[in-house]
């Protein structure tokens, strides 16, 4: 529903980045009572499955209106500048 896809504007790139830090175990700062810390993961398997389904759906919807979704994995602070160079955009 983005007007840029229909207005004949400059090329629009849609991007979704899976950030590994969202899926990596990390200490919570809460003691486990055994001289260690409880570990947490931001996104578990059920959330991730729903997210994958949503990303696939978004890609199909964008393709149905002549767009596309670029999907990458990595640190967004590294992925975005790298992709901008690949696409030769500022």
């Amino acid at each position: 529903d983005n007007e840029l896809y229909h207005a004949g504007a400059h090329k629009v790139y849609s991007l979704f980045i899976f950030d590994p830090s969202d899926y990596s175990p990390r200490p919570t700062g809460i003691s486990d009572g055994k001289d260690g810390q409880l570990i947490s993961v931001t996104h578990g398997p059920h959330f991730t499955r729903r997210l994958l389904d949503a990303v696939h759906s978004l890609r199909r919807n964008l393709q149905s209106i002549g767009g596309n979704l670029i999907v990458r994995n990595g640190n967004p602070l590294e992925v975005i500048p790298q992709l901008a160079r690949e696409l030769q955009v500022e």
Side-chain angles (χ1 to χ4, degrees):
D1 295 346
N2 190 319
E3 293 178 18
L4 292 175
Y5 281 112
H6 303 289
H10 297 284
K11 183 134 177 108
V12 175
Y13 296 97
S14 301
L15 171 65
F16 187 90
I17 301 171
F18 288 95
D19 186 341
S21 69
D22 290 335
Y23 303 91
S24 301
R26 68 183 113 224
T28 61
I30 301 171
S31 172
D32 65 3
K34 302 174 193 167
D35 297 327
Q37 291 187 17
L38 296 176
I39 302 297
S40 168
V41 175
T42 304
H43 302 311
H46 300 292
F47 174 87
T48 302
R49 176 78 261 164
R50 289 193 315 268
L51 180 59
L52 286 170
D53 290 343
V55 169
H56 285 292
S57 178
L58 177 58
R59 176 178 267 168
R60 284 191 305 273
N61 289 339
L62 288 170
Q63 288 172 339
S64 76
I65 60 170
N68 199 3
L69 181 64
I70 299 168
V71 179
R72 295 288 170 95
N73 181 49
N75 179 336
L77 297 175
E78 297 169 2
V79 170
I80 293 170
Q82 177 186 356
L83 183 61
R85 285 189 299 275
E86 289 175 27
L87 299 173
Q88 299 178 349
V89 297
E90 294 181 4

